[in-house]
PDB file of all heavy atoms in Angstrom:
ATOM      1  N   ILE A   9     123.197  21.102 169.218  1.00 96.00           N
ATOM      2  CA  ILE A   9     122.667  19.878 168.626  1.00 96.00           C
ATOM      3  C   ILE A   9     122.672  20.057 167.108  1.00 96.00           C
ATOM      4  O   ILE A   9     122.024  20.963 166.581  1.00 96.00           O
ATOM      5  CB  ILE A   9     121.234  19.593 169.123  1.00 96.00           C
ATOM      6  CG1 ILE A   9     121.238  19.371 170.637  1.00 96.00           C
ATOM      7  CG2 ILE A   9     120.646  18.394 168.384  1.00 96.00           C
ATOM      8  CD1 ILE A   9     119.856  19.275 171.248  1.00 96.00           C
ATOM      9  N   THR A  10     123.393  19.194 166.426  1.00 95.00           N
ATOM     10  CA  THR A  10     123.474  19.278 164.969  1.00 95.00           C
ATOM     11  C   THR A  10     122.989  18.009 164.291  1.00 95.00           C
ATOM     12  O   THR A  10     122.782  18.001 163.082  1.00 95.00           O
ATOM     13  CB  THR A  10     124.918  19.569 164.516  1.00 95.00           C
ATOM     14  OG1 THR A  10     125.780  18.554 165.045  1.00 95.00           O
ATOM     15  CG2 THR A  10     125.385  20.933 164.999  1.00 95.00           C
ATOM     16  N   ASP A  11     122.783  16.968 165.050  1.00 95.00           N
ATOM     17  CA  ASP A  11     122.297  15.703 164.503  1.00 95.00           C
ATOM     18  C   ASP A  11     120.769  15.740 164.430  1.00 95.00           C
ATOM     19  O   ASP A  11     120.096  16.051 165.421  1.00 95.00           O
ATOM     20  CB  ASP A  11     122.763  14.547 165.392  1.00 95.00           C
ATOM     21  CG  ASP A  11     122.262  13.218 164.897  1.00 95.00           C
ATOM     22  OD1 ASP A  11     122.963  12.614 164.063  1.00 95.00           O
ATOM     23  OD2 ASP A  11     121.192  12.781 165.356  1.00 95.00           O
ATOM     24  N   LYS A  12     120.214  15.411 163.269  1.00 96.00           N
ATOM     25  CA  LYS A  12     118.766  15.506 163.052  1.00 96.00           C
ATOM     26  C   LYS A  12     117.985  14.629 164.021  1.00 96.00           C
ATOM     27  O   LYS A  12     116.982  15.063 164.582  1.00 96.00           O
ATOM     28  CB  LYS A  12     118.429  15.126 161.614  1.00 96.00           C
ATOM     29  CG  LYS A  12     116.958  15.243 161.294  1.00 96.00           C
ATOM     30  CD  LYS A  12     116.664  14.863 159.852  1.00 96.00           C
ATOM     31  CE  LYS A  12     115.165  14.933 159.611  1.00 96.00           C
ATOM     32  NZ  LYS A  12     114.789  14.489 158.294  1.00 96.00           N
ATOM     33  N   THR A  13     118.422  13.414 164.244  1.00 97.00           N
ATOM     34  CA  THR A  13     117.708  12.505 165.146  1.00 97.00           C
ATOM     35  C   THR A  13     117.747  13.011 166.578  1.00 97.00           C
ATOM     36  O   THR A  13     116.724  13.001 167.273  1.00 97.00           O
ATOM     37  CB  THR A  13     118.304  11.084 165.065  1.00 97.00           C
ATOM     38  OG1 THR A  13     118.223  10.633 163.714  1.00 97.00           O
ATOM     39  CG2 THR A  13     117.565  10.121 165.970  1.00 97.00           C
ATOM     40  N   VAL A  14     118.886  13.474 167.025  1.00 96.00           N
ATOM     41  CA  VAL A  14     119.008  14.030 168.375  1.00 96.00           C
ATOM     42  C   VAL A  14     118.117  15.259 168.503  1.00 96.00           C
ATOM     43  O   VAL A  14     117.429  15.442 169.512  1.00 96.00           O
ATOM     44  CB  VAL A  14     120.480  14.371 168.694  1.00 96.00           C
ATOM     45  CG1 VAL A  14     120.601  15.074 170.034  1.00 96.00           C
ATOM     46  CG2 VAL A  14     121.336  13.112 168.679  1.00 96.00           C
ATOM     47  N   TYR A  15     118.098  16.099 167.470  1.00 96.00           N
ATOM     48  CA  TYR A  15     117.264  17.306 167.467  1.00 96.00           C
ATOM     49  C   TYR A  15     115.784  16.943 167.559  1.00 96.00           C
ATOM     50  O   TYR A  15     115.040  17.531 168.349  1.00 96.00           O
ATOM     51  CB  TYR A  15     117.561  18.109 166.201  1.00 96.00           C
ATOM     52  CG  TYR A  15     116.825  19.419 166.110  1.00 96.00           C
ATOM     53  CD1 TYR A  15     117.186  20.496 166.907  1.00 96.00           C
ATOM     54  CD2 TYR A  15     115.769  19.577 165.221  1.00 96.00           C
ATOM     55  CE1 TYR A  15     116.517  21.706 166.820  1.00 96.00           C
ATOM     56  CE2 TYR A  15     115.095  20.783 165.133  1.00 96.00           C
ATOM     57  CZ  TYR A  15     115.475  21.839 165.931  1.00 96.00           C
ATOM     58  OH  TYR A  15     114.809  23.026 165.848  1.00 96.00           O
ATOM     59  N   GLU A  16     115.353  15.977 166.773  1.00 97.00           N
ATOM     60  CA  GLU A  16     113.951  15.549 166.799  1.00 97.00           C
ATOM     61  C   GLU A  16     113.579  14.979 168.169  1.00 97.00           C
ATOM     62  O   GLU A  16     112.483  15.244 168.676  1.00 97.00           O
ATOM     63  CB  GLU A  16     113.679  14.533 165.694  1.00 97.00           C
ATOM     64  CG  GLU A  16     113.695  15.169 164.320  1.00 97.00           C
ATOM     65  CD  GLU A  16     113.688  14.161 163.191  1.00 97.00           C
ATOM     66  OE1 GLU A  16     113.924  12.953 163.437  1.00 97.00           O
ATOM     67  OE2 GLU A  16     113.442  14.586 162.039  1.00 97.00           O
ATOM     68  N   ASN A  17     114.478  14.208 168.768  1.00 97.00           N
ATOM     69  CA  ASN A  17     114.238  13.679 170.111  1.00 97.00           C
ATOM     70  C   ASN A  17     114.124  14.811 171.131  1.00 97.00           C
ATOM     71  O   ASN A  17     113.281  14.768 172.031  1.00 97.00           O
ATOM     72  CB  ASN A  17     115.329  12.701 170.526  1.00 97.00           C
ATOM     73  CG  ASN A  17     115.259  11.402 169.752  1.00 97.00           C
ATOM     74  OD1 ASN A  17     114.211  11.026 169.227  1.00 97.00           O
ATOM     75  ND2 ASN A  17     116.380  10.717 169.671  1.00 97.00           N
ATOM     76  N   GLU A  18     114.959  15.824 170.987  1.00 97.00           N
ATOM     77  CA  GLU A  18     114.914  16.971 171.884  1.00 97.00           C
ATOM     78  C   GLU A  18     113.592  17.733 171.721  1.00 97.00           C
ATOM     79  O   GLU A  18     112.993  18.153 172.711  1.00 97.00           O
ATOM     80  CB  GLU A  18     116.104  17.904 171.633  1.00 97.00           C
ATOM     81  CG  GLU A  18     116.198  19.063 172.590  1.00 97.00           C
ATOM     82  CD  GLU A  18     116.515  18.668 174.022  1.00 97.00           C
ATOM     83  OE1 GLU A  18     116.946  17.530 174.290  1.00 97.00           O
ATOM     84  OE2 GLU A  18     116.328  19.534 174.907  1.00 97.00           O
ATOM     85  N   LEU A  19     113.126  17.888 170.496  1.00 96.00           N
ATOM     86  CA  LEU A  19     111.848  18.553 170.267  1.00 96.00           C
ATOM     87  C   LEU A  19     110.698  17.782 170.917  1.00 96.00           C
ATOM     88  O   LEU A  19     109.790  18.387 171.506  1.00 96.00           O
ATOM     89  CB  LEU A  19     111.581  18.714 168.775  1.00 96.00           C
ATOM     90  CG  LEU A  19     112.409  19.771 168.046  1.00 96.00           C
ATOM     91  CD1 LEU A  19     112.085  19.759 166.558  1.00 96.00           C
ATOM     92  CD2 LEU A  19     112.193  21.148 168.632  1.00 96.00           C
ATOM     93  N   ARG A  20     110.736  16.459 170.840  1.00 97.00           N
ATOM     94  CA  ARG A  20     109.706  15.649 171.508  1.00 97.00           C
ATOM     95  C   ARG A  20     109.750  15.849 173.019  1.00 97.00           C
ATOM     96  O   ARG A  20     108.719  15.997 173.672  1.00 97.00           O
ATOM     97  CB  ARG A  20     109.872  14.171 171.155  1.00 97.00           C
ATOM     98  CG  ARG A  20     109.227  13.795 169.837  1.00 97.00           C
ATOM     99  CD  ARG A  20     109.192  12.290 169.641  1.00 97.00           C
ATOM    100  NE  ARG A  20     110.470  11.720 169.259  1.00 97.00           N
ATOM    101  CZ  ARG A  20     110.992  11.797 168.048  1.00 97.00           C
ATOM    102  NH1 ARG A  20     110.347  12.419 167.084  1.00 97.00           N
ATOM    103  NH2 ARG A  20     112.153  11.252 167.779  1.00 97.00           N
ATOM    104  N   LYS A  21     110.954  15.873 173.572  1.00 97.00           N
ATOM    105  CA  LYS A  21     111.120  16.084 175.010  1.00 97.00           C
ATOM    106  C   LYS A  21     110.568  17.445 175.421  1.00 97.00           C
ATOM    107  O   LYS A  21     109.855  17.563 176.424  1.00 97.00           O
ATOM    108  CB  LYS A  21     112.599  15.970 175.382  1.00 97.00           C
ATOM    109  CG  LYS A  21     112.892  16.207 176.839  1.00 97.00           C
ATOM    110  CD  LYS A  21     114.384  16.084 177.098  1.00 97.00           C
ATOM    111  CE  LYS A  21     114.724  16.469 178.519  1.00 97.00           C
ATOM    112  NZ  LYS A  21     116.174  16.461 178.749  1.00 97.00           N
ATOM    113  N   VAL A  22     110.874  18.473 174.650  1.00 97.00           N
ATOM    114  CA  VAL A  22     110.386  19.825 174.939  1.00 97.00           C
ATOM    115  C   VAL A  22     108.865  19.850 174.904  1.00 97.00           C
ATOM    116  O   VAL A  22     108.218  20.424 175.789  1.00 97.00           O
ATOM    117  CB  VAL A  22     110.981  20.850 173.950  1.00 97.00           C
ATOM    118  CG1 VAL A  22     110.281  22.194 174.040  1.00 97.00           C
ATOM    119  CG2 VAL A  22     112.477  21.002 174.187  1.00 97.00           C
ATOM    120  N   ALA A  23     108.270  19.215 173.893  1.00 95.00           N
ATOM    121  CA  ALA A  23     106.810  19.181 173.783  1.00 95.00           C
ATOM    122  C   ALA A  23     106.190  18.461 174.980  1.00 95.00           C
ATOM    123  O   ALA A  23     105.169  18.890 175.513  1.00 95.00           O
ATOM    124  CB  ALA A  23     106.396  18.504 172.479  1.00 95.00           C
ATOM    125  N   GLU A  24     106.814  17.387 175.431  1.00 96.00           N
ATOM    126  CA  GLU A  24     106.286  16.614 176.561  1.00 96.00           C
ATOM    127  C   GLU A  24     106.385  17.377 177.877  1.00 96.00           C
ATOM    128  O   GLU A  24     105.449  17.390 178.669  1.00 96.00           O
ATOM    129  CB  GLU A  24     107.029  15.280 176.678  1.00 96.00           C
ATOM    130  CG  GLU A  24     106.686  14.291 175.593  1.00 96.00           C
ATOM    131  CD  GLU A  24     107.579  13.051 175.634  1.00 96.00           C
ATOM    132  OE1 GLU A  24     108.324  12.856 176.628  1.00 96.00           O
ATOM    133  OE2 GLU A  24     107.535  12.281 174.658  1.00 96.00           O
ATOM    134  N   GLN A  25     107.536  17.996 178.121  1.00 96.00           N
ATOM    135  CA  GLN A  25     107.723  18.650 179.421  1.00 96.00           C
ATOM    136  C   GLN A  25     107.236  20.091 179.438  1.00 96.00           C
ATOM    137  O   GLN A  25     107.048  20.667 180.498  1.00 96.00           O
ATOM    138  CB  GLN A  25     109.172  18.551 179.877  1.00 96.00           C
ATOM    139  CG  GLN A  25     110.175  19.325 179.053  1.00 96.00           C
ATOM    140  CD  GLN A  25     111.601  19.025 179.441  1.00 96.00           C
ATOM    141  OE1 GLN A  25     111.883  18.071 180.155  1.00 96.00           O
ATOM    142  NE2 GLN A  25     112.524  19.840 178.981  1.00 96.00           N
ATOM    143  N   GLY A  26     107.047  20.692 178.265  1.00 96.00           N
ATOM    144  CA  GLY A  26     106.499  22.039 178.191  1.00 96.00           C
ATOM    145  C   GLY A  26     107.519  23.157 178.257  1.00 96.00           C
ATOM    146  O   GLY A  26     107.151  24.327 178.295  1.00 96.00           O
ATOM    147  N   TYR A  27     108.781  22.830 178.226  1.00 97.00           N
ATOM    148  CA  TYR A  27     109.822  23.859 178.236  1.00 97.00           C
ATOM    149  C   TYR A  27     111.100  23.309 177.614  1.00 97.00           C
ATOM    150  O   TYR A  27     111.297  22.098 177.518  1.00 97.00           O
ATOM    151  CB  TYR A  27     110.095  24.370 179.649  1.00 97.00           C
ATOM    152  CG  TYR A  27     110.604  23.316 180.609  1.00 97.00           C
ATOM    153  CD1 TYR A  27     111.966  23.074 180.754  1.00 97.00           C
ATOM    154  CD2 TYR A  27     109.727  22.564 181.376  1.00 97.00           C
ATOM    155  CE1 TYR A  27     112.439  22.112 181.636  1.00 97.00           C
ATOM    156  CE2 TYR A  27     110.184  21.599 182.259  1.00 97.00           C
ATOM    157  CZ  TYR A  27     111.549  21.381 182.380  1.00 97.00           C
ATOM    158  OH  TYR A  27     112.010  20.420 183.245  1.00 97.00           O
ATOM    159  N   ALA A  28     111.968  24.231 177.205  1.00 98.00           N
ATOM    160  CA  ALA A  28     113.259  23.863 176.624  1.00 98.00           C
ATOM    161  C   ALA A  28     114.386  24.322 177.541  1.00 98.00           C
ATOM    162  O   ALA A  28     114.278  25.344 178.208  1.00 98.00           O
ATOM    163  CB  ALA A  28     113.423  24.517 175.251  1.00 98.00           C
ATOM    164  N   VAL A  29     115.450  23.556 177.544  1.00 97.00           N
ATOM    165  CA  VAL A  29     116.645  23.891 178.316  1.00 97.00           C
ATOM    166  C   VAL A  29     117.826  23.944 177.355  1.00 97.00           C
ATOM    167  O   VAL A  29     117.974  23.074 176.490  1.00 97.00           O
ATOM    168  CB  VAL A  29     116.923  22.836 179.411  1.00 97.00           C
ATOM    169  CG1 VAL A  29     118.232  23.131 180.129  1.00 97.00           C
ATOM    170  CG2 VAL A  29     115.773  22.766 180.393  1.00 97.00           C
ATOM    171  N   SER A  30     118.625  24.963 177.503  1.00 97.00           N
ATOM    172  CA  SER A  30     119.846  25.090 176.715  1.00 97.00           C
ATOM    173  C   SER A  30     120.990  25.416 177.673  1.00 97.00           C
ATOM    174  O   SER A  30     120.893  26.365 178.449  1.00 97.00           O
ATOM    175  CB  SER A  30     119.709  26.205 175.682  1.00 97.00           C
ATOM    176  OG  SER A  30     120.957  26.454 175.058  1.00 97.00           O
ATOM    177  N   VAL A  31     122.010  24.633 177.610  1.00 97.00           N
ATOM    178  CA  VAL A  31     123.207  24.915 178.409  1.00 97.00           C
ATOM    179  C   VAL A  31     124.394  24.946 177.449  1.00 97.00           C
ATOM    180  O   VAL A  31     124.870  23.911 176.993  1.00 97.00           O
ATOM    181  CB  VAL A  31     123.437  23.863 179.520  1.00 97.00           C
ATOM    182  CG1 VAL A  31     124.675  24.220 180.342  1.00 97.00           C
ATOM    183  CG2 VAL A  31     122.212  23.736 180.410  1.00 97.00           C
ATOM    184  N   GLY A  32     124.808  26.149 177.103  1.00 96.00           N
ATOM    185  CA  GLY A  32     125.959  26.316 176.230  1.00 96.00           C
ATOM    186  C   GLY A  32     125.730  25.920 174.790  1.00 96.00           C
ATOM    187  O   GLY A  32     126.684  25.746 174.048  1.00 96.00           O
ATOM    188  N   GLU A  33     124.493  25.792 174.353  1.00 96.00           N
ATOM    189  CA  GLU A  33     124.233  25.356 172.981  1.00 96.00           C
ATOM    190  C   GLU A  33     124.388  26.477 171.960  1.00 96.00           C
ATOM    191  O   GLU A  33     124.747  26.219 170.816  1.00 96.00           O
ATOM    192  CB  GLU A  33     122.831  24.763 172.865  1.00 96.00           C
ATOM    193  CG  GLU A  33     122.691  23.440 173.588  1.00 96.00           C
ATOM    194  CD  GLU A  33     121.291  22.881 173.516  1.00 96.00           C
ATOM    195  OE1 GLU A  33     120.631  23.039 172.469  1.00 96.00           O
ATOM    196  OE2 GLU A  33     120.844  22.283 174.514  1.00 96.00           O
TER     197      GLU A  33
END
């Protein structure tokens, strides 16, 4: 993820669900 908006959305998702997922990032 290199786009700032996409990154910020991903951070919100991680905070909501309580974990992060990375597949080939």
Side-chain angles (χ1 to χ4, degrees):
I9 298 172
T10 56
D11 179 88
K12 182 180 177 184
T13 302
V14 174
Y15 183 73
E16 289 169 347
N17 290 337
E18 185 67 15
L19 287 177
R20 277 190 283 284
K21 178 181 174 185
V22 168
E24 288 172 11
Q25 67 188 13
Y27 62 90
V29 175
S30 171
V31 181
E33 291 178 36

